[in-house]
Amino acid sequence: MTLPLPEDDGGGRFPGLRTLELRDHWDEATSSLILSRVGRPPDVCFFNAEEEGIAAAMLDQLVGQEGEPRVPLVNVVDARLAAGETDGWRYADLPEDGEVWRRSVRFIDEDARERYGVGFADATAAQQEAVLEAVHRTEGQWHGMPAGHVWNLWLRYACTAFYAHPWAWDEIGFPGPAYPRGYSNLGVGRREHFEVRDAHPGEQA
Amino acid sequence: MRGPNPLTTARTLASIKARNESAWLLPVSSPDVTERMRRYEDDDEVDLVIVGCGAGGSTVAQRLAREGWSVVVLEAGPFWEPERDWVSDEAGSHHLYWTEPRVIDGEDPVPLGSNNSGRGVGGSMVHFAGYAPRLHPSDFHTDTLDGVGADWPLDYEDLRPYYEDMEEELPVAGQDWPWGEPHSYPHSPHPVGGNGEVFLRGAENCGIEARVGPVAIANGRFGHRRHCIYRGFCLQGCKVDAKASPLITHVPDAIVHGAEIRANSTATRIEVDERTGLATGVHFVHGGVERFQRARNVAVAAYSIETPRLLLNSSSQRFPNGLCNDFDFVGRYLMVQGAPQTGGRFEDEVRMYKAPPPEVSTEQFYETDPSKPYKRGFSIQTVSPLPITWAEHIAAQGHWGRDLRRRMSDFVHWACLGALCEFLPLPENRVTLDSEKDRRGMPVAHVTYSRGGNDKRLMKAAQETMEQILHAAGASEVMTIQRYAHLVGGARMAADEEHGVVDADCRTFAVPNLFITDGSVFPTQGSANPALTIMALAARTAARLAAGARQGVRRPTEAFTLQKES
Ligand SMILES: Cc1cc2nc3c(=O)[nH]c(=O)nc-3n(C[C@H](O)[C@H](O)[C@H](O)COP(=O)(O)OP(=O)(O)OC[C@H]3O[C@@H](n4cnc5c(N)ncnc54)[C@H](O)[C@@H]3O)c2cc1C
Ligand code: SF4
């Protein structure tokens, strides 16, 4: 599977890299973990149905996911919140992570309704982006929470869920787990036979 | 000083083995080690109970078990089985970190968890990067020399022999070291990957000296440990046993010498007899059940946050403000190092995820430079973030959505350096107890941090130097994020009780048979990564205890010594 990403946005740089096809070279513990990420997504149980729809749209926007196939971000984040799997700290001016997420989806939905007269999940992609960008640009409080700290939390959860997925690794040229095989060609410009050369190396970030 | 690299001769190996056989006892899961582990009853008054099986705790356990002391180590996290429990994956390594609740506060709140603390047998070194530099001699006298920070009640010379021992036991690989007290390393330097190559080239082009190492990754034959396979997942726990952590460097030897490592056991309170003023043991929770381990001596080595938290939570009639807190030092002078990271973009593929993240360092800017607007200094090292961490870097620059994806697709072209800036100890930077409680009903740690002016100036200078190096290596674009690393302090060492919590032997001033043997005791931190110094200091404390050099220490009885199987 390849995630849909236009070339202008960095798609297609590592043609043929399929990290999952390297799985015979992974140890058992790692292999079963990574395969679980491409298996059936965990059922949503922390968010209620309405929250799920809003959170799914929001997470997709945060990492620019449009169209299928997609990494099931809402399921992954929901499972983390249900299990209380935090990063091991919270800002003193925010409640615990699960509560921040619940409030966030409610407020982001309110923002969308106020601006466009539709709920966040039903808004167009451009509208969703504008609602999120407004939070990103907020200095100070957003619905009674410090906007910068909330934004940081959203991005941490979204990035962790997305860049843990083998399809996302294919997109950035990262070959994934490396035990027990390891690497033997170290150094600038050197590749293993299973690594794929960047087809557009001149692209500036 | 030892001779040229590599000098791991048969004779040196024999002398290491005679001091610490761990590398020859691996794997830890072998029945010879774990199944033979001795178990004590809670009612046994053991010679020493240690809280925390990390860098400091494991070292003391190994040293004193060898001296015939009966030792129990209480460890909150699990007893890891690397092949089963660790994965070659970033998100899947979440369970290695201390993820119980903590609250962060202050002008510069410091993210914790995966950023700086671990759990389980081996402690934070299970997922530490692996840099193992020494402090410099000047670090022990920053007040006298520079008028900032504090003087330690001991000297570099006091630690030197323990540094040398630890460098052999981990073991440490690297080039001859020209900074601080010049020294060499027992193992020769590892080959470098793209990131190390970029650093070396950039440094050379702008006249900065950089060296390969020092890393706690064996390079060559060392007991049953396998050779590094350059897979780059050091921060996720080394499944290969190439990178050092106490789980493989000290715990096996401790166990075969009779120590009990009691995993999944969280200490909640240290008990002190109001009449004698001595510690009598430690309350802990195991499997939801509260228990009490009696002991003749107690050592706390639970990391710079949990150590002060435990002391503060152990208040009593005699110590109403927390154990050993008569002079309001417990939890204060907590320190992080400013750790900005600068990435540089290269048209060639760098692929920094290959090879261990710790490769190359420079300590050229470590000491106070009178021409600069700040005191003390910084070091620079390679750091090689994996995709999730790199995405957080990009997000920290304000990128998100498609913009984030586009920048991430450029991952293989980036190199990344990190600085360690010596932040100065400030009394307001501290651990207190929060009103929030953990699942055992114990108040969680509330960690407050704000930088001083010197700290900010150092961070700026370090960023400029990293950008200069990367540009000199040919980077077309650079970006920096502000980060912090390595918590130490919170129960500082001092000459007397009016200036700190413990003395030079890590013994608390207030309770003669209570010791603190982790990074909490650092009065200052230098710009070296702390683990080697924590271990060296713990080994020194253990040697002092074994020699019975200090009055008040309750030495093991003969009966206990004889019981030992070994
Ligand atoms: C990502 C990362 C990279 C790092 N890289 C480096 C590096 O390259 N070089 C370096 O020198 N340092 C590095 N460090 C820091 C280094 O690992 C720590 O400074 C060091 O391990 C601290 O030693 P310690 O003995 O103070 O605590 P730890 O090693 O953390 O040990 C404390 C132990 O106590 C246990 N514990 C806590 N509370 C309780 C309780 N109440 N009851 C029972 N047990 C308890 C914990 O579970 C833990 O196992 C890094 C850290 C991180 C997170
Ligand atoms: S790079 Fe080497 S030391 Fe690091 S985890 Fe891999 S094998 Fe272990």
Side-chain angles (χ1 to χ4, degrees), chain A residues 37 90 171 195 198 203, chain B residues 89 345 353 405 413 436:
Chain A
R37 294 185 190 146
R90 68 169 172 82
E171 189 174 287
E195 290 175 312
D198 180 6
E203 303 284 311
Chain B
D89 181 71
R345 207 254 173 201
Y353 55 83
R405 291 278 281 286
H413 293 280
E436 182 181 334

Side-chain angles (χ1 to χ4, degrees), chain A residues 3-6 8-10 13-14 27 29-30 33-34 37 61-66 80 85-92 129 132-133 136 149 151 155-156 159-160 162-164 169 171-183 185-192 195-198 201-205, chain B residues 83-84 86-89 91-92 94 98-105 109 111-115 191-194 197-198 201 226 229-233 239-240 345 347-351 353-355 386-388 391-392 395 398-402 404-414 434 436 446 476-477:
Chain A
L3 293 171
L5 186 68
D8 280 354
D9 290 327
R13 291 181 73 164
F14 303 94
D27 65 284
T30 304
L33 174 74
I34 309 293
R37 294 185 190 146
Q61 279 294 343
L62 289 174
V63 300
Q65 285 211 101
E66 272 169 47
R80 264 190 79 174
E85 193 188 298
T86 70
D87 284 329
W89 53 275
R90 68 169 172 82
Y91 289 108
E129 204 180 314
L132 289 170
E133 182 61 19
H136 187 208
H149 289 175
W151 184 262
L155 263 295
R156 264 190 286 132
C159 288
T160 303
F162 188 75
Y163 286 104
W169 300 337
E171 189 174 287
I172 64 171
F174 175 67
Y179 174 78
R181 174 159 59 176
Y183 298 117
N185 296 317
L186 306 180
V188 175
R190 302 191 62 198
R191 275 180 298 276
E192 315 295 314
E195 290 175 312
V196 173
R197 176 200 292 271
D198 180 6
E203 303 284 311
Q204 285 289 339
Chain B
E83 200 49 45
R84 182 196 66 189
W86 299 351
V87 288
S88 197
D89 181 71
H94 195 264
W98 185 277
T99 51
E100 293 207 14
R102 286 165 171 171
V103 178
I104 63 171
D105 203 352
L112 303 169
S114 64
N115 277 295
V192 297
E197 207 180 303
V198 164
R201 185 173 71 208
R226 287 177 290 168
I229 58 170
Y230 305 106
R231 66 182 192 125
F233 281 92
K239 284 184 85 121
V240 180
R345 207 254 173 201
E347 177 131 358
D348 288 333
E349 294 179 6
V350 178
R351 297 191 181 261
Y353 55 83
K354 294 163 75 169
L386 291 174
I388 292 173
E392 287 175 8
H399 305 295
W400 64 282
R402 281 296 163 91
L404 172 85
R405 291 278 281 286
R406 189 166 50 81
R407 285 173 178 269
M408 282 300 290
S409 75
D410 212 37
F411 178 56
V412 301
H413 293 280
W414 287 77
D434 198 80
E436 182 181 334
H446 188 111
S476 55
E477 185 189 340

